[in-house]
Amino acid sequence: MSHRRRVAPILLLASAGLGPAAWGPVLLAAPPKAAPKAPAPKAVPDPEGVLQKARAAYVNLAGKGFNRYRFVATPDWAAMLAEQAKANPEGYKAAMDLFAKVRFDVRVGPQGDAQVSHNTVDSPNPQTTAGLNQVYSGMEQTLTGFFQTWAPFMVNTPFPPAGGSARVMDAGSHYLVDWEETGDVKVHLQMDRTFTITEMKVKSPAFDSSIRPTFERQPGGLVLASYDGDYVSADSSLRLKVLITNKAVQDLPLPVALDLSVWMGSANKQQILMTFSELNVEKK
């Protein structure tokens, strides 16, 4: 709020004849008490005990026998090309005819890493071929990037392994956890008293990221439901918001649809919608 807008109500009251006499009782009243300061974070006496409880709060698919997840990813081309449908109906129909033939097969491995393959669609000219190649590459990057973020929260644990040198601080309403990983990577996360992570920051030589996840509390543990994040490197920045639809597949909560919104630098939002079908899970 600007300085001018802050003083506007006072000026209006004065012009209405409500001078200092009218304000007297308010001016003589005791000033409001300041909100109590949050306690300074302090080291917890048993950091491994806290981390052990935190690890147990999450679903941990690996511990439930997860081995591989295979599916077909199908983008909602009609929604993604809605503007083109208005501006160029003929080009929209031609694009939809091509995209209807494209198939993306995805295999998610035991550690949550995704491999994306696709068929090759015949195109009428080199320009269309180049456009299809961009679509193939974009879908591969989108899916592999999603599962890179998804895996730490879902497959194993988002916390450092037992026996490490993580620092756990008690900040009253929440915990702060810091540790370092190989490759000069520093991780900082904040979680509430139920061990639900509200923010995770990763600082590395290649980029800095900040992820704010939300979770569904299911009988088997916390399940990632959405996240928004910021990724900044030396030459680019990206903001991402992801909504996840989960479904129990062979008793394992797994994503079956994604709604991704992406902002690259100052560019407008790009939205990518996709559903997963032909679901197949392998257990150990």
Side-chain angles (χ1 to χ4, degrees):
M1 183 183 291
S2 68
H3 175 72
R4 179 172 296 179
R5 291 190 63 186
R6 284 181 186 274
V7 301
I10 296 176
L11 294 175
L12 290 172
L13 287 171
S15 64
L18 298 177
W23 299 347
V26 176
L27 294 174
L28 294 175
K33 294 182 179 180
K37 292 184 178 180
K42 57 183 179 181
V44 301
D46 182 16
E48 184 53 38
V50 172
L51 291 175
Q52 187 175 7
K53 293 177 182 178
R55 295 185 193 104
Y58 290 76
V59 69
N60 193 324
L61 292 175
K64 298 181 182 300
F66 173 82
N67 192 39
R68 281 185 175 82
Y69 181 33
R70 302 172 188 265
F71 58 88
V72 174
T74 304
D76 186 342
W77 301 115
M80 293 161 59
L81 300 176
E83 292 302 317
Q84 183 178 347
K86 300 174 185 177
N88 182 6
E90 186 175 339
Y92 167 79
K93 183 180 183 304
M96 290 294 291
D97 290 342
L98 277 177
F99 289 149
K101 304 173 184 177
V102 177
R103 177 185 170 104
F104 294 99
D105 289 280
V106 185
R107 183 179 69 177
V108 181
Q111 299 303 316
D113 52 307
Q115 295 181 348
V116 183
S117 59
H118 62 84
N119 60 337
T120 300
V121 176
D122 292 334
S123 60
N125 54 61
Q127 183 179 1
T128 302
T129 300
L132 282 170
N133 288 336
Q134 287 185 335
V135 170
Y136 300 149
S137 176
M139 276 293 292
E140 180 178 0
Q141 292 178 23
T142 298
L143 284 163
T144 56
F146 164 73
F147 280 101
Q148 285 174 357
T149 301
W150 174 85
F153 295 105
M154 291 293 297
V155 177
N156 290 297
T157 174
F159 301 96
S165 57
R167 184 182 66 173
V168 182
M169 306 291 287
D170 187 340
S173 62
H174 56 277
Y175 293 104
L176 305 173
V177 186
D178 292 271
W179 73 95
E180 295 185 10
E181 298 182 351
T182 56
D184 194 23
V185 176
K186 298 178 181 178
V187 184
H188 167 85
L189 65 81
Q190 179 173 310
M191 61 182 176
D192 65 20
R193 305 301 292 194
T194 67
F195 311 110
T196 303
I197 295 172
T198 54
E199 184 173 39
M200 173 179 280
K201 295 182 178 181
V202 178
K203 187 176 182 62
S204 71
F207 67 91
D208 295 345
S209 68
S210 177
I211 301 171
R212 294 161 292 278
T214 64
F215 298 88
E216 299 170 350
R217 190 171 294 277
Q218 297 191 8
L222 294 170
V223 174
L224 186 65
S226 70
Y227 63 88
D228 68 88
D230 301 288
Y231 305 81
V232 180
S233 65
D235 54 3
S236 66
S237 65
L238 178 148
R239 181 186 164 208
L240 186 66
K241 184 175 181 63
V242 181
L243 305 177
I244 306 166
T245 301
N246 292 298
K247 178 182 177 181
V249 185
Q250 293 191 31
D251 298 324
L252 299 179
L254 294 168
V256 295
L258 300 178
D259 179 346
L260 305 96
S261 297
V262 184
W263 295 262
M264 294 285 292
S266 58
N268 293 330
K269 179 178 79 170
Q270 295 183 339
Q271 189 171 23
I272 303 170
L273 307 173
M274 68 179 79
T275 56
F276 302 163
S277 61
E278 300 182 31
L279 311 177
N280 179 269
V281 172
E282 298 176 20
K283 291 186 176 181
K284 297 176 183 177

